[in-house]
Amino acid sequence: MNKIEQLQSYLNEMEIDAAFITNPDNVFYLSGFKSDPHERLLGVMVFKDAAPFLICPQMEIPDAQNAGWSGDIIGHVDTENAMEVLHRTASAKSDSIRTLAIEKSHMTVDRYEALNEFFGNPSFFALDDKVNAMRVIKDEAELEILREAAALADYAIEVAAKNLREGITEIELMTEIELALKKRGVTHMSFDTTVLAGSKAASPHGKTGDRKLQSGDLVLFDLGVVHKGYCSDITRTLALGEPSEEQKEVYEIVRRAEEAALNAVKPGVTAAELDKTARDVIEKAGYGEYFTHRLGHGLGISVHEFPSLHGSNNMVMEAGMVFTLEPGVYVPGKVGVRIEDDVAVTETGVEVLTKFPKELQIIHHS
Amino acid sequence: MNKIEQLQSYLNEMEIDAAFITNPDNVFYLSGFKSDPHERLLGVMVFKDAAPFLICPQMEIPDAQNAGWSGDIIGHVDTENAMEVLHRTASAKSDSIRTLAIEKSHMTVDRYEALNEFFGNPSFFALDDKVNAMRVIKDEAELEILREAAALADYAIEVAAKNLREGITEIELMTEIELALKKRGVTHMSFDTTVLAGSKAASPHGKTGDRKLQSGDLVLFDLGVVHKGYCSDITRTLALGEPSEEQKEVYEIVRRAEEAALNAVKPGVTAAELDKTARDVIEKAGYGEYFTHRLGHGLGISVHEFPSLHGSNNMVMEAGMVFTLEPGVYVPGKVGVRIEDDVAVTETGVEVLTKFPKELQIIHHS
């Protein structure tokens, strides 16, 4: 059953007449067409008992076709009321739409009011949880793309290690990394690339800046790429010159915490249990107060998606889920270390998508 | 009267009890605090008869203070219901909130439902037009930032001209430009930098890619920077090696169209009249069918904001408005030229913010 069919089956089960999906990430998930329409209307309409259609700005129709959407595509131009076009098209497909599923965490009030007007005050149903539940399990095609995205993140850290030297600034390092990725065809990063040197890595508010690297710095890299519509997200902390005993100790604690969480990943374990596994290691070492964030987050079309790996999420892990494991210890003004992998739950355990070594890399370039 | 006072005065005039602003660009406009809170609640609540407050994630409070917001700041943590915190705080400031202004083009349905629940089904009022009307007139402090942003865009085109040579690819040129800007402290571009060479510049779907520049190419650059929270946006089309007669002719038509529009800018002229001024030049030259988009768009905190300069917008230009003028001619498969300036309406005419020359620059690097 493909994704559209899964959604149709759900609409039938719930006795919902139609679903109108407008979150661009969800439109991409269902249609293969990725587009940022800004204020213009883009969406997929799925019916319980009719063929779906895609609605988009007229000029984007060729892109939508090229993206592989084989259903009907309805264009609209700026001089039309796009909601009127939507209603007219939907009414021709289905006699009566009395219940309509929408993404309540994405749809804006003005569009909601327009739907109310054109569809005659239908009953609205929140589709967010269902789409999240679909997206949380990756199929083999998605996993293959996520592997490729993770390999590009590994490569970025290799470039970072190669360029780590005294005197280079955080921004210059960031630029070297992104330049190398562009040469491999990467056009977008998952988020602003972070390079934090020395005590800056210990601040939750640290921003990549003009700080020059010095021997004795631990340097934290947090970055990811968007590849075929999917995101990677890696963190590694590298040492420039010989680290202090304290730096080595903190690094080793974080590395063991990450490893413990990684070894605990399998179908049946909960998000909270994974978080606790890593947190226990850090707490036992006496650094619990310095691990100030959740263990990780789901990864896919969005760089932050379901599941969220925190201490009060009892969601059970299943094969096909992909998420980050990223414990960190931040001793203010002194030392900051985070290690982050992207992992997929398999039938029997875990597949680690990011492969750059996690033993502390000590770089001696000057 | 500062911006918050202007809004309060409006609430009194319209007899609206309070406004809750959550669009991050508008929050920045009113508070000076720029933040992307993702799914977390960030907003400014303004009352007709009480002091305003800012609500944000707890960990962002120091950033909000540093940004210069001097009113109350209310933090919320992930384990709280942020809407409940909002309601509790608002109720302590004002006895009864029966009418509430919101940005209907930004607020999501789930938040709207939560406001309905906590505030007991108030009457909602769309604040979008009012905030847009405020933002459309820039004050002197904003104009000064926009001048600086435009100067950085000029610099980017200088870098482009310096690096224009046979064999370099579009992506390599883009990288050289962005690297040079990073060295000047630019951390974000207004949008994806566009470099299109030869016939690619004639396609509305052209994307910066691996095409190598050849002698005889016209090369189109469209880019801008985010500077102190405000955007610039420039387009220049440069010639690599001696251009053909057709290329020179098309370039000259676009240049004259842009100049004509520029000379027509002053208080009292309408957006439609400006669009027509440029379009007439291109139509008279016989290329009307190849000028396929509006003349320009407003510019400020957003790279596309009010006013929109198209043929059916009769909005009257006023001193303090800032927008782009960007006529173009795209002859499919052959030649594409666009020239774009950022301009401000003054009391007596126009100030051109972008200053890179508009006479066709013919570059002879190989």
Side-chain angles (χ1 to χ4, degrees), chain B residues 89-254:
Chain B
T89 310
S91 301
K93 294 249 184 193
S94 178
D95 282 350
S96 158
I97 296 173
R98 297 305 310 143
T99 51
L100 188 55
I102 57 171
E103 301 135 303
K104 288 192 174 182
S105 62
H106 181 264
M107 179 162 286
T108 55
V109 174
D110 55 0
R111 286 201 173 150
Y112 177 71
E113 291 181 343
L115 285 176
N116 253 315
E117 185 189 330
F118 280 105
F119 287 86
N121 297 302
S123 299
F124 286 100
F125 186 92
L127 192 65
D128 309 70
D129 290 349
K130 173 62 185 172
V131 180
N132 289 338
M134 288 174 68
R135 278 179 52 183
V136 83
I137 306 293
K138 272 70 179 178
D139 64 25
E140 186 48 42
E142 292 179 290
L143 284 171
E144 189 51 35
I145 295 173
L146 285 162
R147 283 183 197 111
E148 293 168 2
L152 287 164
D154 283 333
Y155 173 64
I157 302 293
E158 285 169 31
V159 173
K162 203 169 290 174
N163 285 281
L164 206 69
R165 60 177 182 272
E166 286 183 55
I168 193 171
T169 68
E170 295 164 341
I171 285 179
E172 286 165 355
L173 262 173
M174 175 187 76
T175 305
E176 292 294 343
I177 294 166
E178 294 191 354
L179 177 59
L181 289 170
K182 275 178 183 152
K183 288 181 178 164
R184 295 219 169 169
V186 172
T187 57
H188 290 87
M189 305 302 289
S190 305
F191 53 90
D192 291 346
T193 296
T194 300
V195 181
L196 297 172
S199 60
K200 280 184 71 182
S203 160
H205 293 281
K207 289 208 172 76
T208 307
D210 288 329
R211 189 188 189 287
K212 284 189 171 148
L213 269 59
Q214 301 163 11
S215 185
D217 278 346
L218 290 186
V219 189
L220 187 153
F221 297 87
D222 190 354
L223 56 87
V225 309
V226 183
H227 173 70
K228 299 178 182 171
Y230 285 75
C231 297
S232 58
D233 187 358
I234 193 171
T235 305
R236 288 292 187 272
T237 307
L238 309 176
L240 176 59
E242 203 52 37
S244 70
E245 286 310 307
E246 184 189 26
Q247 287 172 329
K248 279 196 272 191
E249 182 192 346
V250 169
Y251 188 92
E252 195 54 22
I253 292 162
V254 174

